[in-house]
């Protein structure tokens, strides 16, 4: 018996050990499966993380490429749009509200007497004693209730109509106010257009300033412009701000290194950045000229002077520095012959005899064709009504001798050694001057003409002939009026400087301390 029990105990022990071994194996298998799952999960997470970092780098590179592309296509992008701004588009739309009183618009239906009348008794009820009297009482009550409801309905209807009238009056006031504002705004636009068509300088300046402001440039471009208009020569003078060199990204590409889990940058070659910056300056110059001429549907502009500047800090003084990097004067006739879809911007500017900085990144300046400040608004927008109150000397009322002395004195103050020649047939000043500066100096021929109307190109040709006969290095023609595009085109590329009346006033103020005005008498006749 004992042996049997011992055998059974041993058997159970072996079964228990076997079960424990199987459980241990199952536990070990489950543990290894868990660890493998963890490793696979970590590997998947690592894969997804690496893909996200690569996608981030690809996005950064794509955005960087888009920036560079936008810089390279500044000019061609502008050729796809029309810069002309119709005056009608400046008018505020007549989006006036409509009257919507809501529930107040619908009157409440009045009570209907028939609906209050009780039904007459019928059948056996009609034969019952007192049925008639009872019915009469019900009819009387119904009539009283009907009369009451009718009075209440009338009161509510009066109240509704009063609220409706009040709401309508408020709406009409608001509607009329909005309509008046719109009408006033439309009248301002109409006046703006009338002034523009009359070539009033302020209107011309405002319109073309709007044209430049509407141009779509990259976000980090300054896009600031000053505009002036000289109606005598149909000349628009623009001073435009270029972006700084720092606008060109220093980063060439972004790269992700998986082993180090870091994003690194490659540096864009300096020569590439400089080349791109030079291109940006040339493209903005041509683009501005294109947008202005394109918007000039009625050809109110014959000539545009463009001066492009950049703002920086002088590293030697810490003070703001404004440097002219590009300047050009061109006419509508010359510019419209260009095919801007195929030009090299820098070569195109050279063909227009523009002056472009040899090293824009080093802020090497060029001398503006015409200083913006020389377009004196006191001359451009002279108001005849106030002329009697203006104490400044009028250049058109000076004697020929006084005018000659004035011009001679001016150029002496500007550093020239002047020698007056014989009297001019047209009542102006003819003199030969000498610029004492070494290398840049030399003999200068100066002619001045007091004209009311635009000086013809023949006067510029005469000056050029005199310049060649005298062996002079430069010729200067000064007038109290202005010049046409033919004069500017003839002078282009020649050592000739044309100064209009506004330029003369500026130079007198700046160098001789003389505040003058130009007010032509009614009986004035230009010399033949």
């Amino acid at each position: 018996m004992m042996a049997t029990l011992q055998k059974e105990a041993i058997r159970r022990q072996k079964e228990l050990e076997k079960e424990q071994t199987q459980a241990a194996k199952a536990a070990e298998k489950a543990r290894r499966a868990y660890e493998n799952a963890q490793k696979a999960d970590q590997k998947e997470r690592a894969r997804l993380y690496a893909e996200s970092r690569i996608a981030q780098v690809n996005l950064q590179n794509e955005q960087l490429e888009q920036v560079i592309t936008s810089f390279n296509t500044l000019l061609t992008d502008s050729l796809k749009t029309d810069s002309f701004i119709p005056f009608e588009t400046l008018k505020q739309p007549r989006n006036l509200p409509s009257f919507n009183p809501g529930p107040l618009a619908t009157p409440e239906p009045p009570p209907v007497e028939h609906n209050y009348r009780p039904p007459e008794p019928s059948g056996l009820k009609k034969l019952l004693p007192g049925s008639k009297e009872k019915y009469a009482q019900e009819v009387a009550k119904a009539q009283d209730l009907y009369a009451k409801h009718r009075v209440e309905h009338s009161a509510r209807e009066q109240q509704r109509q009063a609220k409706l009238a009040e709401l309508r009056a408020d709406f009409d006031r608001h509607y009329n106010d909005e309509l008046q504002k719109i009408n006033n705004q439309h009248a301002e636009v109409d006046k703006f257009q009338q002034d523009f068509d009359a070539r009033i300088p302020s209107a011309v300046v405002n319109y073309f300033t709007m044209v430049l402001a509407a141009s779509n440039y990259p976000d980090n471009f300054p896009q600031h412009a000053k505009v002036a208009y000289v109606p005598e020569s149909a000349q628009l003078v623009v001073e435009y701000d270029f972006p700084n060199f720092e606008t060109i990204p220093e980063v060439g590409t972004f790269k992700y290194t998986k082993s180090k889990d870091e994003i690194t940058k490659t540096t864009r070659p300096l020569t590439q950045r400089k080349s791109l910056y030079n291109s940006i300056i040339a493209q903005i110059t041509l683009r501005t000229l294109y947008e202005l001429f394109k918007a000039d549907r009625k050809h109110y502009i014959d000539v545009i002077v463009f001066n492009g500047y950049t703002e920086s800090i002088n590293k030697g003084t810490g003070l703001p520095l404004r440097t002219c990097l590009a300047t050009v004067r061109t006419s509508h006739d010359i510019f419209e012959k260009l095919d801007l879809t195929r030009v090299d911007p820098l070569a195109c500017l050279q063909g227009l005899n523009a002056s472009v900085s040899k090293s824009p990144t080093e802020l090497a300046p060029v001398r503006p064709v015409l200083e913006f400040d020389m377009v004196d608004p006191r001359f451009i927008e002279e108001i005849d009504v106030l002329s009697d109150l203006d104490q400044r000397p009028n250049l058109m009322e000076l004697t020929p001798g006084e005018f000659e002395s004035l011009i001679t004195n001016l150029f002496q103050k500007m550093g020239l050694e002047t020698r007056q020649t014989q009297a001019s047939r047209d009542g102006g000043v003819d003199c030969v001057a000498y610029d004492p500066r070494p290398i840049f100096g030399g003999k200068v021929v100066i002619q001045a003409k007091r004209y009311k109307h635009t000086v013809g190109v023949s006067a510029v040709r005469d000056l050029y002939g005199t310049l060649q006969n005298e062996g002079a290095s430069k010729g200067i023609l000064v007038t109290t009026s202005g010049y046409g595009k033919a004069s500017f085109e003839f002078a282009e590329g020649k050592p000739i400087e044309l100064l209009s009346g506004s330029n003369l006033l500026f130079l007198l103020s700046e160098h001789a301390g003389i505040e003058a005005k130009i007010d032509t008498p009614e009986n004035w006749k230009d010399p033949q």
Side-chain angles (χ1 to χ4, degrees):
M1 184 69 177
M2 181 63 69
T4 303
L5 292 173
Q6 287 179 345
K7 288 181 180 179
E8 182 66 21
I10 292 172
R11 185 181 65 78
R12 289 179 178 176
Q13 180 65 29
K14 288 182 178 180
E15 288 180 352
L16 180 62
E17 289 176 354
K18 184 178 180 181
E19 289 176 357
Q20 289 176 345
T21 300
Q22 290 176 344
K25 289 181 179 179
E28 179 63 20
K29 183 178 180 181
R31 184 185 66 78
R32 286 199 299 270
Y34 173 71
E35 289 180 350
N36 290 336
Q38 272 193 323
K39 290 179 180 178
D41 185 53
Q42 290 174 354
K43 186 176 181 180
E44 178 66 12
R45 285 203 299 263
R47 184 184 69 81
L48 294 176
Y49 174 75
E51 287 184 357
S52 69
R53 296 283 275 173
I54 292 172
Q56 178 185 352
V57 166
N58 290 339
L59 176 61
Q60 288 177 302
N61 284 327
E62 182 180 343
Q63 292 173 336
L64 187 61
E65 185 62 28
Q66 288 175 351
V67 169
I68 299 301
T69 300
S70 69
F71 290 171
N72 282 318
T73 59
L74 286 172
L75 176 59
T76 55
D77 286 347
S78 68
L79 305 180
K80 302 172 185 177
T81 59
D82 189 352
S83 56
F84 173 66
I85 302 177
F87 282 93
E88 285 299 316
T89 62
L90 302 178
K91 293 184 177 180
Q92 180 181 342
R94 292 184 181 273
N95 295 331
L96 293 168
S98 57
F99 183 59
N100 182 16
L104 289 177
T106 307
E108 177 187 344
V112 180
E113 183 178 6
H114 174 74
N115 295 335
Y116 287 82
R117 189 174 185 85
E120 296 183 8
S122 60
L124 293 176
K125 289 183 179 181
K126 187 177 182 181
L127 300 176
L128 292 174
S131 63
K132 290 184 179 180
E133 290 78 4
K134 185 177 181 181
Y135 176 70
Q137 291 175 356
E138 290 177 353
V139 170
K141 288 181 180 180
Q143 289 176 342
D144 291 342
L145 182 60
Y146 166 71
K148 178 183 177 183
H149 286 180
R150 187 174 178 182
V151 171
E152 292 174 350
H153 170 270
S154 178
R156 288 195 300 273
E157 177 61 16
Q158 290 179 0
Q159 187 177 17
R160 182 193 72 84
Q161 292 181 2
K163 289 183 178 179
L164 181 63
E166 182 180 354
L167 187 65
R168 182 75 202 195
D170 290 341
F171 171 81
D172 288 343
R173 281 194 295 271
H174 174 69
Y175 182 92
N176 291 331
D177 288 345
E178 290 300 312
L179 180 60
Q180 186 61 45
K181 290 179 183 178
I182 293 175
N183 289 339
N184 290 342
Q185 193 267 344
H186 287 194
E188 290 177 1
V189 174
D190 290 338
K191 181 63 166 58
F192 181 21
Q193 184 173 5
Q194 291 172 7
D195 291 347
F196 179 78
D197 288 336
R199 305 193 191 191
I200 294 177
S202 59
V204 175
V205 165
N206 288 338
Y207 179 80
F208 288 108
T209 300
M210 289 170 53
V211 168
L212 296 180
S215 186
N216 186 22
Y217 274 95
D219 292 338
N220 54 349
F221 279 44
Q223 203 169 347
H224 175 261
K226 290 196 299 183
V227 181
Y229 180 64
V230 185
E232 289 74 20
S233 56
Q235 181 175 226
L236 198 71
V237 183
V238 180
E239 186 174 295
Y240 201 87
D241 284 4
F242 290 132
N244 293 326
F245 177 61
E246 289 72 19
T247 303
I248 312 298
E250 295 183 14
V251 179
T253 56
F254 294 92
K255 183 180 179 181
Y256 174 61
T257 304
K258 185 177 179 180
S259 59
K260 297 181 180 180
D261 187 26
E262 66 178 10
I263 296 176
T264 56
K265 306 173 184 177
T266 63
T267 302
R268 189 176 301 276
L270 182 59
T271 54
Q272 186 183 116
R273 294 180 68 210
K274 288 183 175 181
S275 176
L276 181 55
Y277 188 61
N278 293 347
S279 175
I280 286 175
I281 288 174
Q283 288 186 80
I284 292 177
T285 302
L286 292 174
R287 173 172 169 157
T288 303
L289 294 171
Y290 168 78
E291 290 174 337
L292 293 172
F293 280 131
K294 182 73 173 179
D296 183 27
R297 287 288 197 270
K298 298 184 178 180
H299 285 205
Y300 290 165
I301 301 174
D302 287 340
V303 177
I304 293 179
V305 173
F306 174 92
N307 298 323
Y309 286 79
T310 185
E311 297 277 358
S312 60
I313 298 297
N314 188 316
K315 295 181 180 179
T317 64
L319 300 176
L321 182 65
R322 188 165 174 81
T323 307
C324 184
L325 299 180
T327 182
V328 62
R329 174 191 275 129
T330 188
S331 69
H332 193 285
D333 292 342
I334 291 176
F335 198 81
E336 70 178 359
K337 295 177 182 177
L338 302 176
D339 184 355
L340 296 179
T341 62
R342 302 170 63 182
V343 302
D344 173 83
L346 285 168
C348 183
L349 285 181
Q350 290 178 358
L352 293 175
N353 293 314
S355 294
V356 182
S357 172
K358 299 298 182 182
S359 181
T361 56
E362 302 299 326
L363 300 179
V366 296
R367 181 171 176 259
V369 172
L370 173 64
E371 291 280 0
F372 187 87
D373 290 340
M374 291 178 68
V375 186
D376 192 332
R378 293 171 300 177
F379 169 71
I380 296 174
E381 300 182 45
E382 186 73 43
I383 302 175
D384 294 335
V385 176
L386 301 179
S387 60
D388 292 339
L389 304 178
D390 195 340
Q391 300 302 313
R392 292 174 295 162
N394 183 6
L395 301 185
M396 305 302 284
E397 293 180 349
L398 300 179
T399 65
E402 290 172 336
F403 184 62
E404 291 171 4
S405 298
L406 184 70
I407 298 299
T408 302
N409 180 57
L410 169 62
F411 284 99
Q412 286 176 346
K413 294 287 186 181
M414 294 175 67
L416 300 182
E417 298 174 1
T418 58
R419 297 178 185 176
Q420 195 166 323
T421 61
Q422 70 278 4
S424 173
R425 290 176 301 168
D426 57 17
V429 177
D430 290 324
C431 69
V432 175
Y434 294 88
D435 187 343
R437 294 179 303 167
I439 301 176
F440 300 104
K443 192 174 184 181
V444 182
V445 176
I446 302 172
Q447 292 183 354
K449 299 180 181 297
R450 283 194 296 174
Y451 276 27
K452 175 180 180 180
H453 301 290
T454 301
V455 175
V457 68
S458 59
V460 187
R461 292 196 183 99
D462 291 344
L463 174 63
Y464 188 56
T466 304
L467 182 151
Q468 292 177 315
N469 292 334
E470 293 285 343
S473 60
K474 186 174 184 178
I476 301 175
L477 183 59
V478 187
T479 182
T480 51
S481 58
Y483 305 92
K485 61 181 178 180
S487 296
F488 289 118
E489 290 174 0
F490 180 83
E492 193 70 50
K494 299 180 178 67
I496 296 176
E497 187 142 2
L498 305 179
L499 300 178
S500 65
S502 57
N503 306 153
L504 176 57
L505 291 178
F506 173 81
L507 294 175
L508 286 170
S509 175
E510 189 76 6
H511 297 281
I514 298 174
E515 299 293 339
K517 65 179 179 179
I518 298 174
D519 187 7
T520 309
E522 292 183 4
N523 59 350
W524 178 274
K525 291 184 179 180
D526 290 339
Q528 297 297 320

